[in-house]
Amino acid sequence: MRSIQTFQVFPYIPEPLAFLETLSRNLWWSWNQNAIELFRRVNPPLWEASGRNPIVFATLIPQERLEELAVDDSYLAHLDQVRRRFENRVLNQTDGESPWDEGELVAYFSMEFGIHETLPLFAGGLGILAGDHLKAASGMKIPLVGVGLLYREGYFRQFLDNDGWQQEEYPETDLFHLPLTKEKDSQGDDMVIRLTAAGQDIRALVWKVQVGRIPLILLDTNLHDNPPEIRDITARLYSGEQPIRLAQEVLLGIGGMRALEALGIQPTVCHLNEGHCSFVGIERLRQIMARYSIDLETAREVVPRTTVFTTHTPVAAGHDEFPPAMVKPYFEPFTSAFGMTIDQMVALGQPDGAMPESPFSMFILGLRTAQYINGVSELHGQVARHMWSHVWPTRSDDETPITHVTNGVHIPTVLAPEIKLLYERHLGPQWNMGSTIPDNARRIDDIFDEELWQAHEMSRSRLIRMVREMMHRQYGRRNAPVNIMKAVDSVLDQDTLTIAFARRFATYKRAHLLFKDPERLEAIVNSKDRPVQFIFAGKAHPKDNEGKGIIRSLVDFGRRTNLRHRFLFLEDYDMHIARYLVQGADVWLNTPRRPMEACGTSGMKAALNGVLNVSTMDGWWCEAYSPKLGWRIGNGEEYQDHNFQDSVESQALYNIIENEVAPLYYDRPSGGMPTAWLKMMKASMKMAMAGFCSLRMMSEYEERFYLPASHRFGELVADTGAEAKKLGEQHHRYVEKWGQIRLSAPIASARGPFRVNQSFDVTTVVQTGELRPEELNVELYYGKIKHVDRIDDPHIKMMHVRESRSDGAYLYGCTLPCSDSGRYGFTVRVTPNADAWIRYRPELLTWA
Ligand SMILES: *Cc1c(COP(=O)(O)O)cnc(C)c1O
């Protein structure tokens, strides 16, 4: 049977229902409740059986049912409503004014995209965030295109064996039942892009999936022309093997830019979601050089000023590094166009002054090719500045040019249908515009307690139903005895305080914290007056035996006969399970070891649904926490002794559940409703709506990075890069002449002590060499001294030329105001009077 020919039969869709086909081919449906209902109502059990995949669903519906719907007035009216909204939100090109000019475009690169569970291109939070980024861009009509990889086997599916040990499965994704289309070249053939490494061709197909208004371009090396090892590049997400991992990153960065070029797309801004995508900068340099006929030095003034780089990893070891020998074959084809040696190219990913054999860092390459760099929460911004301060050795940590944009979540994707109805009624049709409409958060107070509690109880019932079904399946697969199977059908209790813990089982997330004192935990679960039930879910990395061990001990604990009903582990955590959990639990538990959780987003999803957070002070929770809307475990201390920390924090956790959470939950003064709890639910929903929605996040990226960078792109490349050339010359001049600068220790006009509101004069003598005073900033740098020779929280004041001396040096001066009492220190320094990219070059800074 070696010559099987394949063909596909799709159902015949009657003309009045033709829009269903359009809708099923744009993932926009997946976050629009009305659109989901349009599919679901056709046949709810089949909808679930299809895995909520409209294309599979269509093949399951009997033809008669379609004929029936084609003449069903109520169905056709529903369809028309969805169609009009789709036309307005997705197809409509011309409405309102836009800050974006014709031709401007952001290309957003990411290794993972989590848009819907049917498209398994993600492992966890990073991917979901990328998916939300596209959805938010669609909602805000930002010109953006996503670029990623199409994995044939995605990330693994998890199941547990009889001992509770995690097993992994890699089912192949059925591409024919996904809303994917192959891009075509000018001849009408499948578009294929090429890279070369060590004389070997790597070819990749270019696919597209439409996410509302936003196209997501996906590369796929599973082509007949490729040898097996090349075909496997896009087999799985996060393959453990370094050479494959590197090949994936090369394909994403260099291949991704080539695909855009082949599609005739020239991004004015590139956004790198994590260091995996840093190779974008290399190919972008080549394209810009070729398109504008400019040299490398000039192109290197354009790329960083128009690149955004978001980092998500608060530990140095979490960043990708590769041996230079592994990277070289991919760089070789660029050396002649760049006029660089292979070692010079590799040095782009090595620290300044590193040995040629030191590892090639994707993060350092990112830093060298991006001006706009950010962490993903306020705390993570701080951690990243500290972690990378060695790249700017002469600046203080505070001045490391890394800022933060706190993540947000896409509200329509995560909100329970019942809460959506409440929002529709009390907030109005614009509720899904989240924080961009300030009234949205305020109006949450208008929701009646009864309504909110009822909506929440419905979400909780749905969760419990789903858990029972899943447990039934889990135990059925393990051939459990009949009595156990029966028992499984009645796990969990509708009126019991429900705590969910669902996340990757990485060590730093500390699922084990809850098990420090099993007897105490058991007493909490089985409390007579105030029982508590726990639901766990999450995958451990296939190579993480410690994480798998934690899952097993958790399953073991739940097997104690008196806990069976109230302590459960759900297999195969994904977006589908996550939705039920963040909507239906009462409490969302999070116990990361500070500061390892860069941001965390599942707690935001919970908060939006009125689920209260109990969390250590890490990531986003440092910005969101207030005693009015949740609980914190500890006060954000950082410990040297992790064992000790775990003991202290697990005790704190037990105390919070026992003494605060459970009593409040079970306090039912009026008509069975927990009034005080409901007040916290609303406070929590308001906080998440105002501060942690993806539109707030997207507005920040747009205003602070995308728009300035994109406009700058136009200016820099105009007149065959005239302005970029000028900047290149300026940059070169600074680097060449900087060594000539000398400045003397500052002199104060008086020695003090001073009183508040007094001031004194500071002067310094600067030899500027061939650089002119107007090319330099001479800065007075002062602030309170806490340690012997460190100025904390520094202030900077410009000094001005007071005198040009006969020896060619300049006397600079300014006054230093004493505005607060305390012990102060001051010094002076010189930086370039240039734009941020030049000003922050590590070598262009001289202290007295
Ligand atoms: C939101 C989400 C995450 C990320 O949550 P964290 O708080 O970062 O753990 C991971 N997986 C799924 C399926 C999600 O929906």
Side-chain angles (χ1 to χ4, degrees):
M1 293 214 295
R2 239 169 300 151
S3 60
I4 299 179
Q5 309 275 318
T6 62
F7 63 99
Q8 178 96 17
V9 181
F10 287 106
Y12 168 74
I13 308 276
E15 160 56 28
L17 305 180
F19 172 66
L20 285 180
E21 191 143 354
T22 312
L23 186 63
S24 70
R25 302 212 150 261
N26 188 322
L27 285 162
W28 179 85
W29 69 263
S30 72
W31 68 89
N32 283 275
Q33 197 65 33
N34 220 5
I36 297 171
E37 294 300 335
L38 189 66
F39 292 123
R40 211 177 77 92
R41 69 182 277 189
V42 174
N43 186 329
L46 276 186
W47 172 246
E48 286 301 318
S50 75
R52 296 157 301 280
N53 180 336
I55 299 174
V56 174
F57 185 52
T59 66
L60 300 178
I61 308 170
Q63 192 68 41
E64 308 86 78
R65 179 71 180 129
L66 291 174
E67 305 295 344
E68 207 174 278
L69 290 168
V71 292
D72 177 336
D73 287 349
S74 110
Y75 192 79
L76 293 177
H78 184 171
L79 183 133
D80 201 46
Q81 212 178 29
V82 176
R83 187 177 51 75
R84 268 179 294 138
R85 190 169 169 82
F86 181 77
E87 282 168 359
N88 179 24
R89 300 297 304 162
V90 179
L91 304 181
N92 181 1
Q93 296 299 330
T94 55
D95 69 339
E97 48 210 67
S98 162
W100 291 90
D101 293 334
E102 192 63 35
E104 290 189 297
L105 180 78
V106 179
Y108 179 82
F109 293 79
S110 179
M111 277 287 260
E112 309 180 31
F113 283 94
I115 298 156
H116 186 256
E117 60 263 24
T118 49
L119 192 63
L121 307 179
F122 63 97
L126 181 80
I128 311 273
L129 179 83
D132 283 1
H133 204 87
L134 304 189
K135 293 172 186 174
S138 177
M140 292 172 67
K141 307 194 173 177
I142 292 175
L144 186 138
V145 51
V147 184
L149 303 182
L150 181 61
Y151 307 99
R152 291 294 174 121
E153 297 173 0
Y155 198 55
F156 71 90
R157 307 288 301 265
Q158 174 199 51
F159 66 98
L160 303 186
D161 64 17
N162 283 332
D163 295 329
W165 192 253
Q166 170 178 299
Q167 306 291 318
E168 294 104 27
E169 236 176 13
Y170 290 90
E172 193 164 329
T173 307
D174 179 2
L175 300 186
F176 296 103
H177 288 135
L178 286 171
L180 292 162
T181 47
K182 278 186 201 158
E183 295 283 12
K184 302 289 178 191
D185 61 21
S186 52
Q187 261 86 58
D189 298 324
D190 291 346
M191 181 179 281
V192 173
I193 56 111
R194 278 182 183 72
L195 321 173
T196 42
Q200 188 177 33
D201 265 353
I202 301 174
R203 298 181 184 78
L205 280 169
V206 182
W207 297 80
K208 182 175 81 172
V209 55
Q210 209 45 54
V211 184
R213 302 170 72 90
I214 305 298
L216 168 58
I217 305 299
L218 297 167
L219 298 182
D220 168 18
T221 55
N222 191 10
L223 252 135
H224 289 298
D225 300 358
N226 283 332
E229 69 277 12
I230 302 286
R231 292 175 73 159
D232 278 350
I233 293 175
T234 54
R236 294 176 184 180
L237 174 56
Y238 299 137
S239 153
E241 296 181 38
Q242 231 188 358
I244 297 189
R245 173 98 174 190
L246 173 63
Q248 290 183 331
E249 297 184 6
V250 169
L251 183 65
L252 175 62
I254 297 175
M257 280 304 295
R258 295 228 166 125
L260 294 180
E261 186 182 44
L263 290 164
I265 295 174
Q266 188 199 177
T268 50
V269 177
C270 285
H271 186 167
L272 319 177
N273 189 36
E274 191 53 293
H276 312 137
C277 331
S278 297
F279 289 124
V280 163
I282 302 289
E283 170 65 10
R284 193 157 175 240
L285 284 171
R286 189 194 66 78
Q287 290 186 13
I288 289 176
M289 287 167 70
R291 188 173 296 119
Y292 300 101
S293 316
I294 55 180
D295 60 11
L296 180 70
E297 199 178 342
T298 308
R300 287 186 72 178
E301 300 298 327
V302 180
V303 167
R305 287 178 173 85
T306 56
T307 303
V308 181
F309 175 22
T310 301
T311 168
H312 297 259
T313 315
V315 268
H319 293 276
D320 279 330
E321 288 187 340
F322 299 103
M326 211 183 271
V327 180
K328 283 178 184 174
Y330 296 106
F331 278 173
E332 215 101 61
F334 289 87
T335 46
S336 67
F338 285 8
M340 286 170 97
T341 66
I342 191 73
D343 286 328
Q344 283 170 331
M345 284 206 63
V346 169
L348 292 171
Q350 294 169 326
D352 283 333
M355 306 294 285
E357 63 274 15
S358 32
F360 180 91
S361 153
M362 294 300 285
F363 192 92
I364 291 183
L365 178 62
L367 289 184
R368 297 240 169 85
T369 48
Q371 174 183 327
Y372 301 92
I373 310 168
N374 70 287
V376 288
S377 71
E378 192 179 335
L379 177 65
H380 178 230
Q382 242 171 52
V383 169
R385 284 191 288 280
H386 179 67
M387 196 161 94
W388 298 102
S389 64
H390 62 88
V391 179
W392 289 268
T394 60
R395 286 185 184 266
S396 72
D397 288 8
D398 293 333
E399 284 196 301
T400 305
I402 300 179
T403 178
H404 77 273
V405 174
T406 302
N407 288 340
V409 296
H410 188 246
I411 295 181
T413 298
V414 303
L415 213 55
E418 295 81 11
I419 306 276
K420 282 182 185 164
L421 289 176
L422 288 182
Y423 281 179
E424 193 84 39
R425 192 151 82 243
H426 292 279
L427 279 53
Q430 295 274 59
W431 64 265
N432 61 1
M433 294 309 286
S435 60
T436 58
I437 309 223
D439 252 11
N440 275 341
R442 195 181 53 71
R443 290 205 179 145
I444 288 174
D445 277 332
D446 297 345
I447 300 174
F448 298 117
D449 279 1
E450 290 83 351
E451 289 180 313
L452 180 56
W453 190 240
Q454 205 179 18
H456 180 62
E457 295 215 295
M458 282 170 74
S459 299
R460 184 167 353 79
S461 309
R462 233 168 346 102
L463 167 63
I464 292 175
R465 244 190 350 265
M466 183 276 292
V467 171
R468 287 175 183 167
E469 275 165 29
M470 285 209 51
M471 298 302 286
H472 193 95
R473 246 177 291 150
Q474 282 176 211
Y475 279 84
R477 210 198 39 248
R478 291 181 221 148
N479 294 318
V482 179
N483 62 325
I484 300 237
M485 291 296 289
K486 265 221 168 83
V488 155
D489 292 336
S490 60
V491 293
L492 298 176
D493 183 46
Q494 175 65 32
D495 299 315
T496 297
L497 169 61
T498 307
I499 300 183
F501 182 99
R503 47 196 21 94
R504 281 182 302 119
F505 276 74
T507 314
Y508 80 87
K509 302 238 186 191
R510 293 195 299 175
H512 61 276
L513 206 62
L514 208 54
F515 298 96
K516 272 270 162 184
D517 184 348
E519 304 321 312
R520 184 147 183 216
L521 175 59
E522 189 174 325
I524 289 174
V525 173
N526 284 329
S527 157
K528 214 155 110 269
D529 306 329
R530 297 169 185 154
V532 180
Q533 55 196 10
F534 284 90
I535 307 174
F536 293 84
K539 296 174 177 177
H541 189 275
K543 294 211 168 120
D544 178 11
N545 283 334
E546 198 179 339
K548 292 184 187 180
I550 295 173
I551 294 179
R552 179 162 63 187
S553 60
L554 199 146
V555 170
D556 270 347
F557 185 77
R559 283 186 176 153
R560 297 185 181 192
T561 40
N562 59 344
L563 290 172
R564 276 227 162 106
H565 279 165
R566 294 194 175 145
F567 207 90
L568 307 171
F569 183 87
L570 293 182
E571 295 175 1
D572 206 27
Y573 182 51
D574 71 349
M575 287 181 85
H576 175 56
I577 297 179
R579 260 196 317 273
Y580 282 87
L581 287 170
V582 298
Q583 296 171 4
D586 298 303
V587 168
W588 196 255
L589 179 62
N590 194 17
T591 51
R593 191 187 305 288
R594 177 181 165 118
M596 305 285 278
E597 178 114 300
C599 179
T601 52
S602 58
M604 302 172 185
K605 303 174 197 167
L608 267 168
N609 284 292
V611 176
L612 302 185
N613 279 272
V614 173
S615 172
T616 44
M617 290 299 266
D618 199 7
W620 77 291
W621 193 232
C622 300
E623 288 158 63
Y625 168 76
S626 128
K628 288 204 254 342
L629 52 79
W631 291 272
R632 63 174 171 190
I633 304 164
N635 296 315
E637 301 88 350
E638 280 165 35
Y639 294 77
Q640 296 300 319
D641 181 345
H642 286 176
N643 237 328
F644 176 65
Q645 176 181 17
D646 289 356
S647 297
V648 172
E649 295 187 347
S650 69
Q651 288 303 319
L653 171 58
Y654 296 136
N655 290 341
I656 288 169
I657 297 177
E658 216 166 31
N659 305 333
E660 302 184 41
V661 178
L664 195 78
Y665 183 81
Y666 286 108
D667 178 19
R668 308 288 170 100
S670 64
M673 278 198 310
T675 321
W677 186 274
L678 277 156
K679 202 167 160 199
M680 283 182 81
M681 283 175 71
K682 285 188 192 168
S684 182
M685 292 159 83
K686 284 167 70 173
M687 162 275 283
M689 173 69 84
F692 299 95
C693 94
S694 57
L695 301 191
R696 189 272 307 144
M697 167 182 79
M698 186 54 94
S699 310
E700 279 194 56
Y701 280 113
E702 183 184 33
E703 282 159 31
R704 293 172 57 193
F705 306 156
Y706 290 170
L707 282 169
S710 185
H711 295 343
R712 196 74 186 116
F713 183 85
E715 293 162 5
L716 289 171
V717 299
D719 299 333
T720 53
E723 175 137 10
K725 273 196 203 101
K726 267 209 310 240
L727 282 170
E729 284 155 18
Q730 187 193 18
H731 195 158
H732 184 73
R733 178 173 155 82
Y734 278 122
V735 171
E736 205 177 46
K737 317 282 185 199
W738 197 259
Q740 301 170 359
I741 293 173
R742 300 277 178 279
L743 77 168
S744 67
I747 296 169
S749 61
R751 303 192 49 152
F754 303 98
R755 299 269 175 198
V756 169
N757 289 337
Q758 284 186 316
S759 61
F760 61 94
D761 210 48
V762 181
T763 53
T764 183
V765 175
V766 184
Q767 281 167 7
T768 64
E770 287 169 72
L771 290 164
R772 296 179 301 275
E774 60 272 22
E775 290 176 282
L776 301 174
N777 288 333
V778 178
E779 301 171 347
L780 174 67
Y781 183 96
Y782 69 100
K784 291 211 169 140
I785 294 221
K786 292 211 183 94
H787 303 281
V788 181
D789 59 353
R790 212 180 83 203
I791 294 175
D792 283 306
D793 191 17
H795 296 261
I796 287 160
K797 209 172 167 203
M798 286 299 160
M799 303 181 80
H800 297 286
V801 177
R802 291 211 175 140
E803 207 182 296
S804 138
R805 301 194 338 182
S806 54
D807 61 357
Y810 295 89
L811 180 75
Y812 278 78
C814 71
T815 55
L816 196 166
C818 307
S819 47
D820 247 332
S821 47
R823 200 173 139 62
Y824 283 82
F826 67 91
T827 183
V828 290
R829 67 182 189 183
V830 183
T831 65
N833 179 18
D835 77 352
W837 179 248
I838 292 180
R839 211 166 59 242
Y840 277 97
R841 289 314 81 217
E843 67 276 24
L844 302 182
L845 177 69
T846 301
W847 294 87

